[in-house]
Amino acid sequence: MVIDDKPVVVLLAHPRPGSFNHALASRVVAALDRAGVPVRFHDLYAEGFDPVLTAEEAYTSGTRAEEFLAAEPDPLVRRHREELGTARGLVAIHPNWWGKPPAILSGWLDRILVPGVAYRLDDAGGAPESLLSLRRLLVVNTSDTPEERERTLFGDPLDAIWRRCLAPYLGEPEVHRLVLRVVADAGAAQRAAWLDDVSSEVRRLFG
């Protein structure tokens, strides 16, 4: 049996310590640890990740952009890029805020999924060639919007972001999403069941 020792990157994007998102992230990391999977865990708020894309970084194509971005001066940004480049999986845990990820995670996508790291794009109008080896992407979302309202009124924009907009730049991994709702009204038993569901999904996908 061939053992895959490539890590899984786990991202947590919630500003309040002690949030249910933090509990979910702890379960994800614990499930990966029990399965013997190397983990690269990042609580973006706790790390103080700077989500603001600089003018110099705002390139999307061409070899000159790759050369410039390879000289990134921020050591934390460099670390995130290097870890994603060696990962076999990505887990993103975040709330649904206005149909999008929190700003810190949106900024992470801006600064980490860049030419020469996530993809190669010779010209802006072409199709990206992914440089990543991600096989599975798991997105865990908390939400206070009922499922029917999300689907019929909003069209589930988060699913479009992760599955249709981002997956081609991540190497077309299998995309799996768990949407936990309505979190604000959920009692202790429901939250415990959700934590168990997340653990099971992580074992199924990465164990």
Side-chain angles (χ1 to χ4, degrees):
M1 181 177 66
V2 177
I3 298 176
D4 190 342
D5 60 354
K6 289 184 177 181
V8 171
V9 171
V10 179
L11 300 175
L12 168 62
H14 197 289
R16 190 174 63 250
S19 72
F20 188 54
N21 277 250
H22 283 73
L24 291 166
S26 294
R27 276 299 186 95
V28 168
V29 172
L32 290 168
D33 283 340
R34 283 196 299 272
V37 178
V39 181
R40 304 293 182 263
F41 173 64
H42 296 284
D43 179 338
L44 297 180
Y45 283 96
E47 285 185 352
F49 184 87
D50 183 357
V52 179
L53 187 74
T54 67
E56 292 78 15
E57 291 175 323
Y59 296 97
T60 59
S61 61
T63 56
R64 290 186 62 187
E66 292 187 20
E67 293 168 3
F68 177 84
L69 292 164
E72 170 60 52
D74 185 327
L76 185 57
V77 171
R78 285 203 311 271
R79 177 183 168 194
H80 278 258
R81 290 176 180 174
E82 290 166 3
E83 290 180 357
L84 188 66
T86 63
R88 64 170 159 127
L90 174 65
V91 181
I93 303 140
H94 69 86
N96 178 348
W97 283 352
W98 303 105
K100 59 182 180 57
I104 199 167
L105 180 52
S106 293
W108 185 92
L109 296 168
D110 288 344
R111 300 195 72 193
I112 305 305
L113 303 186
V114 295
V117 175
Y119 66 93
R120 176 160 289 123
L121 188 60
D122 293 333
D123 60 86
E129 171 198 352
S130 179
L131 301 176
L132 300 177
S133 56
L134 296 179
R135 295 202 298 276
R136 292 188 174 94
L137 165 65
L138 172 62
V139 181
V140 182
N141 292 142
T142 54
S143 176
D144 288 332
T145 303
E147 182 178 4
E148 183 178 0
R149 187 164 188 254
E150 182 73 64
R151 184 181 64 253
T152 59
L153 185 60
F154 304 127
D156 199 355
L158 272 177
D159 194 70
I161 289 171
W162 285 107
R163 196 179 304 275
R164 298 206 298 270
C165 298
L166 290 171
Y169 291 87
L170 296 172
E172 296 286 5
E174 295 177 20
V175 181
H176 302 266
R177 232 175 122 232
L178 287 178
V179 185
L180 313 177
R181 66 177 102 221
V182 171
V183 172
D185 295 337
Q190 177 61 79
R191 291 178 182 234
W194 281 334
L195 290 170
D196 289 342
D197 290 344
V198 167
S199 295
S200 297
E201 187 71 348
V202 168
R203 288 195 300 270
R204 184 179 74 85
L205 295 177
F206 303 107

